[in-house]
Amino acid sequence: MYTTVSELWVTIRPGGVWCSVLWPAYHSQSIRMPKAPSVKKCRVHKEVSRVSMKAGIKGAKPASSAPAQGLVFNTDLGQHILKNPLIITSMVEKAGLKTTDTVLEVGPGTGNMTVKLLDRVKRVIACEVDSRMVAELHKRFLSTPLHSKLDIRIGDVLKADLPTFDVCVANLPYQISSPFVFKLLLHRPIFRCAILMFQQEFAERLIARPGDKLYCRLTVNTQLLAKVDHLMKVGKNNFRPPPKVESAVVRIEPKNPVPNINFSEWDGLLRIVFVRKNKTLSAAFKQSSVLQTLEKNYKTWCSLKERKIPDDFVLKDKVEEILIDGQFHKKRARQMDQDDFLALLHAFNKEGIHFV
């Protein structure tokens, strides 16, 4: 299309405007006209929160830190989801699973480890206290062939009876570590092994040796009933949301046969000597509260055995005599091993002094 304006010829073409300016009639020069800058249009998205913070969920993180699936993790329940697939795979492999096994998993969360377990075993029993996580597990496995192998149980695992299982694999909520370990070790029938994620300091207590700074009642109790091995350290960035502490994985293998011992009485002895583990046993057994408890137990034992207590009997002197005769009076709990504690318990029981 051509338009004449005085001596200006304008050519309108797709992609731009060309014009011919006539200086003389015999001479013309083409000039490219610049295009007007285009303004890009885009939709402005409003910031929408993926989740609504539910009233009453203490410890929940804000929506901006929520994961892709839109869940808010409750850290007060110890919800730190293990997200590193390499660590998950390593834990599953170290469990030595068989296709006929039943596996107990405590705190399955969104099912990152559960799916690995279901691929390898006959059945997985997942214990979860948070109904939101239970719904997430159902949603993840409902339409898959693995759903028939998954048994989800809602509730506090510490308050319920543990089912029969072969292996336990779990990223535990750290606040239940100690009571769960004792519940696990006293469970019957005996399981094959447990691969458990703990806070690093707790894991170090489990594997401590006499004389170590972290050697404690937990150490002695656990090593009496099981063999404990440290497998690997796990950094806090492998979790979502990351915890404030480093973690570690341990392998617990119960001793079979079980030591022939009254565990309640054994633990009662350890409670006394580890109140102040750096004190000598002679000083530990001079506490008035300790002597009162032992005297009450001794009178009960004498009554059951129909034995008369001499009028001049003083329990404090009797305890001191037992410690000296067994050369325990100068020993300290932090330096004693299992054999020492077993010998001490036997010496007291032989004289009718019990701890329950």
Side-chain angles (χ1 to χ4, degrees), residues 118-169:
L118 288 170
D119 284 335
R120 300 188 179 214
V121 300
K122 180 181 179 180
R123 183 181 178 215
V124 173
I125 303 174
C127 299
E128 177 59 62
V129 72
D130 191 342
S131 58
R132 299 174 306 137
M133 296 299 173
V134 172
E136 189 69 20
L137 288 173
H138 279 302
K139 183 172 66 175
R140 182 168 186 172
F141 297 107
L142 187 59
S143 58
T144 69
L146 300 176
H147 187 261
S148 60
K149 300 165 66 175
L150 178 61
D151 180 3
I152 303 175
R153 304 193 179 185
I154 308 175
D156 189 343
V157 70
L158 297 179
K159 297 178 181 178
D161 294 332
L162 293 180
T164 301
F165 62 93
D166 301 296
V167 178
C168 179
V169 183

Side-chain angles (χ1 to χ4, degrees), residues 18-150:
W18 290 80
C19 41
S20 298
V21 182
L22 300 182
W23 294 94
Y26 57 86
H27 179 75
S28 67
Q29 183 177 0
S30 296
I31 302 174
R32 173 84 175 185
M33 300 295 289
K35 291 174 63 177
S38 59
V39 179
K40 295 183 179 180
K41 296 182 179 181
C42 62
R43 291 186 298 172
V44 178
H45 295 272
K46 293 182 179 180
E47 186 176 353
V48 180
S49 173
R50 284 188 174 272
V51 291
S52 298
M53 297 292 288
K54 293 184 179 180
I57 301 181
K58 185 180 178 183
K61 297 294 181 183
S64 58
S65 64
Q69 62 266 37
L71 285 173
V72 180
F73 296 128
N74 187 348
T75 55
D76 280 0
L77 294 178
Q79 290 178 352
H80 298 281
I81 307 301
L82 182 58
K83 65 179 183 179
N84 189 330
L86 297 179
I87 295 176
I88 294 173
T89 301
S90 179
M91 289 181 65
V92 172
E93 288 178 349
K94 292 180 184 299
L97 299 174
K98 303 176 183 178
T99 56
T100 56
D101 281 342
T102 295
V103 176
L104 174 67
E105 183 183 12
V106 179
T110 57
N112 293 343
M113 186 177 293
T114 312
V115 67
K116 299 282 188 181
L117 295 171
L118 288 170
D119 284 335
R120 300 188 179 214
V121 300
K122 180 181 179 180
R123 183 181 178 215
V124 173
I125 303 174
C127 299
E128 177 59 62
V129 72
D130 191 342
S131 58
R132 299 174 306 137
M133 296 299 173
V134 172
E136 189 69 20
L137 288 173
H138 279 302
K139 183 172 66 175
R140 182 168 186 172
F141 297 107
L142 187 59
S143 58
T144 69
L146 300 176
H147 187 261
S148 60
K149 300 165 66 175
L150 178 61

Side-chain angles (χ1 to χ4, degrees), residues 58 76 85 98 147 163 170 174 229 231 268 303 309 319 323 330:
K58 185 180 178 183
D76 280 0
K98 303 176 183 178
H147 187 261
Y174 291 163
D229 295 307
L231 298 182
S303 177
I309 302 176
V319 169
L323 293 175
K330 292 184 179 180

Side-chain angles (χ1 to χ4, degrees), residues 242-273:
K244 296 180 180 179
V245 295
E246 301 296 325
S247 304
V249 178
V250 301
R251 185 179 191 272
I252 299 177
E253 183 179 346
K255 292 181 179 179
N256 194 7
V258 180
N260 185 19
I261 190 173
N262 184 329
F263 183 77
S264 297
E265 186 159 6
W266 165 268
D267 188 52
L269 169 64
L270 296 186
R271 285 179 184 274
I272 293 173
V273 299

